[in-house]
Amino acid sequence: MTDTLASAAVPASSAPASSAPVYTVPQERKIVTAIPGPISAELHRRRLAVVSGGVASMLPVYITKANGAIIVDVDGNQFIDLGAGIGVTTVGHTETSVVAAAVEQAEDFVHTLFTVTPYEEYVRVCELLAEHTPGDFAKKSVLVNSGAEGVENGVKIARKYTGRRAVAVLDHAYHGRTVLTMAMNYKAAPYATGYGPLASDVYHAPSSYPYHDGLSGTDAAARTIGYLEKVIGAADLACLVVEPIQGEGGFMVPAEGYLPALQQWCTANGVVMIADEIQSGMARTGKYFASEHFGWVPDLVLSAKGIAGGFPLAGVTGRAEIMDASQPGGLGGTFGGNPVSCAAAIAVFDAIENNNLLGEAQRIEASLTAGLTVLKDKYDIIGEIRGRGAMIAIELVQPGTGDTTKLPNAAAVSAISAYASQHGVLLLTAGTYGSVLRFLPSLALSDALIADALSVIDDAIASL
């Protein structure tokens, strides 16, 4: 069987990025076997014998190569990747300068442990984070390994600085799978099911969800603040952790003025407000950090995912006086700020500047939302299109309810995602009720590949 669109290939001379990247994999969708193919099926058999069943995969095709916006499985199938490893390969799979930087660093040294014998690469990443995170005040950082570890450290630092115990998060939030972050997630299943007791002193406040609550930013903030004051009490609240655009929750964009109002309240009450930019940061939304879209200057910013182009790295960056509250030895870890990951991160920052990736994210937003608007006009199950940059979602509703009850349509989401996978488009799902399709591609995604992917989604909806 074959399913391909050769015209979607993007030759180097017409690639959208200003530096005209040369791709080692043709930028086209191509399906040559059943999905999964026979070699993937055999690998999956081996996997089931040795890999924990708790580690699930959305699509059991086994990848052998990836470049730009295309991933290739062991059977030779090529998929348009609209997930980027859930927002990790923002600069593109195997981006040339990032790979070269990592190789060069690996040839020099791979590990010393920064808290034993430090190195410049760690320092340079912290300088770049201080430069590019919101706010013109003095900032410092600590580097760790993963997003959840970043969240844990952000909470830990806030508690140390304030001397307070309680942690507040928002409805529909997702922050990780560690013991603390499981308790911070809005949705328990599957992340916390059976793993209790969960961490205490974590509180879930109502969020801003304009499509469903219809509240202005001012009114939504008043509702959130009312909860914080009445249920927790400001005197006991160490931090409020907020995703500026909620990821797993369904790419909810808060109402105008919501986030600055919360920051104003936090500042007035000595509460550390933390921006979880793990999924939304590092140029994904057309700004370095999504907080910038909302005029929000948080106290701490959490970075991970796209920061190192696929290498494991995360950071907590914030006001120097907050970051310095921890005693020497209180922060760090064996692999945190690994030199190879740091070298890759420096190259990512360079690529954002050299390849106009903020502009590329804006291009993707314009192209993707235009195509999705055509589909929304055609199919009434698309209730809303929302997001910023290359972080766009559609919420699917039951037919005829888009302007009234807006009943979630998880079955359609599952069916569309499955259809897309069978036809060479990797598409992520999301949403508290499983009713959101999210588009989280690399910034290497061309307009031609967007058009091709949307044609598959069009066919998928038509087949329902």
Side-chain angles (χ1 to χ4, degrees):
M1 61 181 291
T2 61
D3 190 346
T4 184
L5 183 68
S7 63
V10 182
S13 61
S14 62
S18 60
S19 62
V22 176
Y23 296 115
T24 58
V25 172
Q27 298 295 286
E28 63 183 14
R29 175 173 60 94
K30 183 172 67 175
I31 298 299
V32 296
T33 72
I35 303 297
I39 304 176
S40 279
E42 172 57 21
L43 281 169
H44 196 62
R45 183 194 65 77
R46 290 168 51 193
R47 171 222 178 106
L48 293 176
V50 294
V51 178
S52 167
V55 183
S57 295
M58 188 189 82
L59 180 63
V61 296
Y62 288 74
I63 303 306
T64 187
K65 192 172 182 63
N67 185 237
I70 298 294
I71 56 176
V72 185
D73 74 9
V74 290
D75 292 286
N77 299 297
Q78 295 189 184
F79 297 82
I80 301 173
D81 184 7
L82 298 182
I86 309 190
V88 171
T89 56
T90 306
V91 296
H93 287 288
T94 57
E95 201 277 338
T96 303
S97 65
V98 173
V99 171
V103 169
E104 182 178 0
Q105 178 58 47
E107 290 174 343
D108 289 341
F109 64 94
V110 172
H111 177 79
T112 68
L113 179 49
F114 189 79
T115 57
V116 176
T117 51
Y119 36 88
E120 181 182 3
E121 291 77 16
Y122 189 117
V123 176
R124 182 59 183 146
V125 171
C126 294
E127 288 174 337
L128 289 164
L129 285 168
E131 177 183 351
H132 291 293
T133 48
D136 58 3
F137 41 79
K139 302 172 200 160
K140 294 188 178 182
S141 294
V142 59
L143 302 182
V144 292
N145 299 291
S146 69
E149 191 179 354
V151 175
E152 292 256 4
N153 275 272
V155 169
K156 172 179 165 179
I157 291 164
R159 281 174 163 168
K160 179 69 173 178
Y161 176 72
T162 62
R164 301 173 183 177
R165 60 177 178 79
V167 177
V169 293
L170 297 181
D171 288 350
H172 308 290
Y174 175 83
H175 297 290
R177 290 182 175 91
T178 60
V179 172
L180 173 60
T181 57
M182 282 190 302
M184 295 170 68
N185 297 337
Y186 181 72
K187 188 166 68 173
Y191 310 116
T193 303
Y195 296 128
L198 301 181
S200 60
D201 282 332
V202 177
Y203 298 85
H204 296 259
S207 59
S208 175
Y209 194 167
Y211 181 58
H212 283 278
D213 62 36
L215 296 177
S216 68
T218 299
D219 290 343
R223 183 176 64 172
T224 303
I225 291 166
Y227 177 95
L228 300 177
E229 291 179 337
K230 293 173 185 176
V231 177
I232 310 168
D236 282 330
L237 183 57
C239 59
L240 171 61
V241 186
V242 175
E243 302 160 277
I245 299 175
Q246 293 184 309
E248 175 68 18
F251 288 11
M252 278 84 85
V253 178
E256 188 69 27
Y258 176 73
L259 294 175
L262 293 184
Q263 182 66 63
Q264 183 178 15
W265 180 87
C266 285
T267 300
N269 288 277
V271 176
V272 177
M273 192 166 175
I274 302 175
D276 182 342
E277 292 261 20
I278 289 164
Q279 189 166 152
S280 59
M282 294 305 297
R284 172 149 298 282
T285 66
K287 304 281 189 182
Y288 264 98
F289 291 91
S291 303
E292 299 172 64
H293 289 287
F294 309 105
W296 176 31
V297 180
D299 298 308
L300 300 181
V301 175
L302 311 180
S303 307
K305 289 191 181 289
I307 191 172
F311 290 88
L313 187 68
V316 182
T317 303
R319 294 180 181 274
E321 64 273 20
I322 298 176
M323 295 300 297
D324 279 343
S326 293
Q327 67 277 11
L331 302 178
T334 301
F335 295 108
N338 172 269
V340 177
S341 293
C342 285
I346 295 165
V348 166
F349 277 100
D350 288 343
I352 291 170
E353 294 296 325
N354 296 336
N355 299 340
N356 185 32
L357 294 188
L358 298 179
E360 291 302 286
Q362 295 162 20
R363 172 190 59 80
I364 288 171
E365 177 183 352
S367 182
L368 191 52
T369 54
L372 289 171
T373 299
V374 172
L375 295 182
K376 185 176 185 296
D377 291 341
K378 187 175 180 180
Y379 302 108
D380 72 348
I381 65 169
I382 299 178
E384 184 182 43
I385 304 164
R386 56 178 179 256
R388 296 285 189 276
M391 190 174 183
I392 302 296
I394 54 175
E395 181 167 345
L396 301 191
V397 297
Q398 296 293 336
T401 69
D403 296 321
T404 54
T405 52
K406 302 169 184 174
L407 297 175
N409 195 340
V413 166
S414 296
I416 292 166
S417 176
Y419 182 101
S421 296
Q422 292 296 312
H423 292 81
V425 176
L426 181 59
L427 187 59
L428 301 176
T429 63
T432 298
Y433 307 105
S435 56
V436 175
L437 289 168
R438 55 177 163 169
F439 300 83
L440 202 65
S442 83
L443 304 183
L445 185 71
S446 68
D447 288 346
L449 287 178
I450 291 172
D452 187 23
L454 290 176
S455 74
V456 172
I457 294 167
D458 189 352
D459 291 342
I461 300 174
S463 71
L464 296 176

